[in-house]
Amino acid sequence: MRKLLVATHGRFASGIMETFKLIMGENEDISEISAYVEPGFDMQKEAEKKIHELNEEDELIIVADIMGGSIANTFSSYIQSEKIHIITGLNLPLLIGLAQDLDSDVSTDELIENAIQMGREGIVDLKKMIEENSDIEEDF
Amino acid sequence: MRKLLVATHGRFASGIMETFKLIMGENEDISEISAYVEPGFDMQKEAEKKIHELNEEDELIIVADIMGGSIANTFSSYIQSEKIHIITGLNLPLLIGLAQDLDSDVSTDELIENAIQMGREGIVDLKKMIEENSDIEEDF
């Protein structure tokens, strides 16, 4: 079974999950870590706990806030395992893309590739897009 | 003066701003709206308030969670104004890209273009990237 873990510095993870649930509803295959919020938080211990919770047939896709940050770096020590995947640059279109095909038949590589494309294409300059569309309309 | 407004459904905005401040420190030119959290929240009124707070020389770059959502849609009724810009697909690299050059000499168009590139390029499959880099090393 594929599972998602949304993991960030601070309450970005719990915040985006609140927003995700408003749009997509509850999903028990998605968990979250808001790191360094509680005193004594230990990222290494949290990562180990999440990895050890996995069953034999599970895969875990970790979605982290930023490349080079301590969340992505801590989990990257597990990346040799076929069961562990890490994506950085968490945004809502990426998360929706991952969640909506999480239990579908597409391969994990394809799932990740499609969701990354959704995440990237969802970052849009709306003013530019509206101006370009109005240019197209004027051309016809 | 250029200002940023981070605006999302739910507490995504306050969450990512907590994370942003952990990394980049306080920035008084960035404000936030976590919409629909309080009962009686009125998106149209909040948008009007933000627009009317602007001084003559101000520009406002709104960073919203998702294209087609009510936050981006509400603000897009102001997009004819040269002072108003809207970017969708909020993530941390995008926000850092906008913030770090907010009071620099680059034009607003260039600022937005560079930050969007940072946001998109920050969405990375870390496993794939590490495998590709190790392939390159093996080639030499």
Side-chain angles (χ1 to χ4, degrees), chain B residues 76-107:
Chain B
S76 66
S77 63
Y78 301 95
I79 215 164
Q80 300 303 326
S81 163
E82 285 182 9
K83 301 163 74 165
I84 308 296
H85 308 265
I86 308 173
I87 309 174
T88 61
L90 172 63
N91 72 357
L92 200 54
L94 170 70
L95 189 54
I96 291 172
L98 288 168
Q100 70 189 8
D101 276 333
L102 198 61
D103 57 3
S104 79
D105 290 338
V106 300
S107 71

Side-chain angles (χ1 to χ4, degrees), chain A residues 9-12 15-16 18-19 22 37 65-67 79 81 84-92 96 112 116 119-120 122-127 129, chain B residues 9-12 15-16 18-19 22 37 65-67 79 81 84-92 96 112 116 119-120 122-127 129:
Chain A
H9 300 78
R11 290 188 184 83
F12 177 8
I16 197 170
E18 184 180 291
T19 303
L22 281 172
V37 170
D65 43 8
I66 197 158
M67 193 164 36
I79 215 165
S81 162
I84 307 297
H85 308 264
I86 307 173
I87 309 173
T88 63
L90 171 62
N91 72 357
L92 199 54
I96 290 171
I112 289 174
I116 285 179
R120 289 180 177 159
I123 302 180
V124 168
D125 179 344
L126 216 57
K127 194 185 196 91
M129 183 186 249
Chain B
H9 301 77
R11 290 187 184 85
F12 178 9
I16 197 170
E18 183 181 290
T19 303
L22 282 173
V37 170
D65 44 7
I66 196 158
M67 193 164 36
I79 215 164
S81 163
I84 308 296
H85 308 265
I86 308 173
I87 309 174
T88 61
L90 172 63
N91 72 357
L92 200 54
I96 291 172
I112 289 174
I116 285 179
R120 288 179 179 161
I123 302 179
V124 169
D125 178 344
L126 216 57
K127 194 184 196 92
M129 182 187 249

Side-chain angles (χ1 to χ4, degrees), chain A residues 126-127 130, chain B residues 43-49 51-52 62 69-86:
Chain A
L126 216 57
K127 194 185 196 91
I130 289 171
Chain B
M43 188 59 230
Q44 188 64 44
K45 270 192 192 161
E46 290 292 320
E48 279 169 21
K49 200 175 130 198
I51 304 286
H52 289 136
I62 299 135
S70 76
I71 318 280
N73 287 353
T74 304
F75 278 107
S76 66
S77 63
Y78 301 95
I79 215 164
Q80 300 303 326
S81 163
E82 285 182 9
K83 301 163 74 165
I84 308 296
H85 308 265
I86 308 173

